[in-house]
Amino acid sequence: MPDTKPPLRRTGGRSARVQEAVETAALKLLLSGGRIGLTMRAVAQEAGVAETTVYRRWPSTDHLVAAALLRLADADNPIPDTGSLEGDLSELLTQIVDLLSRPEVIRVVRSAAALDGATTVDEARSTFFSNRFAASSVIVERAVDRRELPSTADPYRVIEALVAPAYMRALLGNRTFDDRFIADSVAYTLAGAGAFDTEQPRP
């Protein structure tokens, strides 16, 4: 039975360079060709390492998908700071919709969603979304400071309510995105989070 433990992440030297090269190669191939194009041989060739090196650290293509997902999670995406909760949520969702509208990105997301069972994959998928939510939570924290949201607002739940419909549409592929979708999603999120009208006095 193959080892499902995630490869160790070392912080320097040849080991770190190999890991970066393989993860970057796996992500590139997944973005360009989807799961079909992601093979041990292709990743090794793209990374410029021996195929045995890839097998030693990433025993299956599921592990490579997990590695690619973690690499994608590390990508820098600016968090909006428009000065208002509504503006921040609208800008954030617009960024996400733009990403999910790119065929190469949705291939990665769908590949990750389709994987099951392996501990490494579950951890990578969890890390991917946790990183996204953690980075976005500052939007809610700023809104609480501006008294646009009650102090009891849960950042994770607010961002989850905002982005979940977008991921559902992207994964199912049965409905497209438009400006109305973004506006409605933001409005529903604000209502569900108990957002205050900053133009009106609050009790």
Side-chain angles (χ1 to χ4, degrees):
M1 184 175 181
D3 182 13
T4 58
K5 293 181 180 179
L8 294 176
R9 289 180 163 251
R10 299 181 175 87
T11 57
R14 182 179 183 280
S15 178
R17 291 194 297 272
V18 168
Q19 179 172 313
E20 180 177 3
V22 171
E23 290 179 351
T24 300
L27 178 57
K28 179 180 178 180
L29 291 169
L30 198 59
L31 286 172
S32 62
R35 186 73 182 279
I36 295 176
L38 191 71
T39 66
M40 295 294 190
R41 175 172 296 181
V43 170
Q45 291 177 344
E46 180 67 32
V49 301
E51 194 171 342
T52 53
T53 299
V54 178
Y55 273 107
R56 190 158 51 243
R57 294 190 182 189
W58 297 271
S60 71
T61 53
D62 281 1
H63 288 77
L64 288 174
V65 172
L69 200 58
L70 289 174
R71 181 61 54 176
L72 185 62
D74 288 339
D76 181 33
N77 290 290
I79 300 301
D81 188 3
T82 65
S84 74
L85 175 61
E86 183 175 4
D88 286 352
L89 293 179
S90 180
E91 181 65 24
L92 177 65
L93 186 57
T94 297
Q95 290 179 5
I96 292 172
V97 165
D98 287 345
L99 279 174
L100 293 178
S101 297
R102 292 167 51 188
E104 70 274 19
V105 172
I106 195 56
R107 274 197 293 267
V108 176
V109 174
R110 286 175 177 168
S111 293
L115 299 177
D116 60 4
T119 300
T120 300
V121 174
D122 290 342
E123 290 177 352
R125 186 163 44 204
S126 176
T127 298
F128 172 78
F129 285 106
S130 293
N131 286 0
R132 296 294 190 190
F133 282 114
S136 303
S137 65
V138 67
I139 290 175
V140 178
E141 293 165 2
R142 288 196 301 246
V144 171
D145 291 340
R146 290 192 299 257
R147 300 186 67 194
E148 293 177 282
L149 285 175
S151 59
T152 55
D154 182 339
Y156 190 97
R157 293 294 298 275
V158 174
I159 300 302
E160 183 179 50
L162 176 73
V163 306
Y167 278 100
M168 185 183 75
R169 285 198 182 192
L171 290 171
L172 296 180
N174 62 332
R175 301 182 69 182
T176 59
F177 298 114
D178 53 24
D179 291 342
R180 177 64 180 273
F181 168 79
I182 293 174
D184 286 350
S185 295
V186 171
Y188 295 149
T189 300
L190 290 171
F196 298 121
D197 182 349
T198 54
E199 300 299 320
Q200 299 295 327
R202 297 184 296 276

